[in-house]
Amino acid sequence: MDTTPKAGPKAARDDVRIMTLQSHILEQQAHHPQASGTFSWILSALSISAKIIADKVRRARLENVLGSVGTENIQGEVQQKLDVLANDVLLRTLGGREGVAIVASEENEEPVILREEVEGVPRYCVLFDPLDGSSNLDICGGVGTIFSILEHKGNGASVQDSLLQPGYKQVAAGYVLYGSSTVFVLTIGQGVDLFVLDPSIGAFMRVERSLMIPSGNKTYSVNEGNRKVFPEGYQRYLDWAQSNGYSGRYAGAMVADVHRILLKGGVFLYPPTKKAPEGKLRLMYEANPMAMIIEQAGGKTFAGCGQRVMDIQPTAIHQRTPVILGATDQVALVLAHLEKDSGQHA
Ligand code: AHM
Ligand code: MG
């Protein structure tokens, strides 16, 4: 069989074209002739950070940077050495980009203001969880970086006003999964694209465009150890799912669990508990960026009945929210079991 690419327009087909993340970003920029390139430089900083963090994660055991640093972050959680290293990498790479006004990290109590406003210069706020699921590091499990990009409001707006924007205002969001390979998932509001790091050339290669979450996958992802302290609606859903042939899959790292759902379908839950009525996950660093990706891939993300995650008006940068996300059909089945509880913290 002749597999030689044919001359003419077909030669530019996606399946024969080599497209790196960098060229993808430039291609997207070309669709916006008024774009100054500021935004593209920010995405390129995130891609460089991802490569550096991927390398650190791979070498962690060899360089003895596993384990905790003996401090807690603002959430009261033990910081792993790599949490601190990854945070530092992101702050340094983004810090060099003219277009970044403010960065906010799950690991830092206060946002960092990098640049003052200059009239006519578009600037952005970048929010991130530098190493999500970092307790998986010691056992070689998947971990990730999650990021969200908002427009800096300018016009003398306060830091709070610039950062505390609801998720539907995000201009881009994505995550990097440091798993058996390193993948970079990105949306800039026009679908979700997937890139895989080719370690031999040091570039993220585009492998999928416009991902759509498949329906009909009978899989749920939740920490069932907490089941007894979930609101009743979630317990009813789990009873129903277990009587209807569902499988459970839980990596304990949101990035890994969401990545599986993006590719295979199913639903991810981090419900409220009696002890943590707002759940565990952070709205600005985890729930909102994942919600943008999931919705751009045709899925849904809710914080409870009738409460779309990206409609929540944030009141604090480190606030938490319950999360129900995944394929539209599977999320609907969860919500149907919660509805009977309306009025509860479901
Ligand atoms: P982290 O950002 O401190 O790593 O915590 C977030 C992680 C998520 O990745 C994951 O979904 C969740 O915590 C797991 O929590 P639990 O161990 O309570 O199931
Ligand atoms: Mg996290």
Side-chain angles (χ1 to χ4, degrees):
M1 191 175 67
D2 177 14
T3 54
T4 318
K6 302 287 175 287
K10 284 218 159 129
R13 274 184 354 227
D14 239 33
D15 53 347
V16 294
R17 194 160 62 159
I18 292 174
M19 179 67 89
T20 64
L21 175 58
Q22 211 59 37
S23 19
H24 172 86
I25 294 168
L26 291 173
E27 184 189 65
Q28 299 302 308
Q29 188 187 318
H31 295 154
H32 303 273
Q34 74 289 3
S36 60
T38 307
F39 184 67
S40 305
W41 275 108
I42 296 173
L43 292 175
S44 108
L46 289 165
S47 140
I48 292 166
S49 303
K51 290 179 207 169
I52 299 173
I53 297 170
D55 180 58
K56 291 195 182 299
V57 166
R58 303 251 173 274
R59 300 188 55 78
R61 185 89 205 194
L62 298 170
E63 293 180 358
N64 195 25
V65 284
L66 290 177
S68 73
V69 278
T71 53
E72 290 184 349
N73 66 10
I74 175 68
Q75 330 286 337
E77 293 153 351
V78 174
Q79 285 184 302
Q80 306 289 314
K81 290 177 190 164
L82 273 175
D83 281 326
V84 176
L85 280 170
N87 195 39
D88 196 47
V89 167
L90 281 154
L91 289 173
R92 281 166 50 209
T93 51
L94 289 164
R97 297 300 197 241
E98 197 48 36
V100 185
I102 304 172
V103 286
S105 163
E106 188 187 295
E107 298 298 331
N108 293 125
E109 184 163 359
E110 297 292 341
V112 181
I113 303 161
L114 293 169
R115 283 170 194 88
E116 297 303 334
E117 191 180 320
V118 177
E119 205 171 325
V121 179
R123 293 222 158 111
Y124 297 87
C125 306
V126 186
L127 301 89
F128 51 83
D129 177 354
L131 209 54
D132 178 67
S134 51
S135 59
N136 266 4
L137 282 167
D138 292 349
I139 51 107
C140 247
V143 292
T145 298
I146 312 173
F147 60 88
S148 160
I149 305 180
L150 292 163
E151 260 173 30
H152 178 47
K153 279 193 170 168
N155 289 327
S158 68
V159 174
Q160 293 289 311
D161 273 0
S162 259
L163 288 174
L164 298 182
Q165 301 185 53
Y168 69 82
K169 293 206 167 160
Q170 293 171 106
V171 290
Y175 63 77
V176 187
L177 170 61
Y178 313 103
S180 56
S181 57
T182 301
V183 300
F184 194 115
V185 171
L186 175 67
T187 180
I188 51 177
Q190 287 157 348
V192 179
D193 300 310
L194 171 64
F195 305 82
V196 176
L197 182 62
D198 181 338
S200 57
I201 58 168
F204 282 104
M205 310 304 291
R206 190 169 74 193
V207 295
E208 294 268 3
R209 297 209 70 183
S210 305
L211 278 168
M212 293 304 279
I213 304 175
S215 58
N217 184 334
K218 294 166 79 168
T219 306
Y220 61 77
S221 185
V222 67
N223 183 344
E224 277 197 271
N226 294 332
R227 181 188 170 120
K228 285 194 173 156
V229 288
F230 290 158
E232 278 174 20
Y234 290 92
Q235 301 193 35
R236 272 198 302 274
Y237 165 75
L238 290 170
D239 285 339
W240 171 85
Q242 286 165 10
S243 313
N244 282 276
Y246 274 62
S247 294
R249 292 282 184 277
Y250 192 64
M254 189 188 197
V255 175
D257 285 317
V258 170
H259 192 61
R260 184 185 54 252
I261 286 165
L262 185 66
L263 298 183
K264 299 200 162 183
V267 66
F268 170 88
L269 310 169
Y270 206 107
T273 61
K274 289 206 174 90
K275 203 172 117 201
E278 298 307 324
K280 175 182 182 189
L281 300 175
R282 271 57 51 128
L283 175 64
M284 308 296 288
Y285 310 110
E286 293 166 329
N288 269 341
M290 290 309 199
M292 184 175 183
I293 291 163
I294 291 293
E295 291 197 11
Q296 283 289 320
K300 296 273 187 244
T301 307
F302 286 91
C305 282
Q307 176 67 83
R308 180 180 172 237
V309 160
M310 285 201 287
D311 285 338
I312 297 173
Q313 173 59 55
T315 53
I317 186 73
H318 293 291
Q319 91 183 57
R320 298 173 192 261
T321 178
V323 173
I324 303 159
L325 67 74
T328 298
D329 61 332
Q330 300 303 315
V331 169
L333 289 163
V334 177
L335 295 183
H337 288 85
L338 303 190
E339 265 154 22
K340 296 172 196 155
D341 276 346
S342 46
Q344 274 203 38
H345 59 284

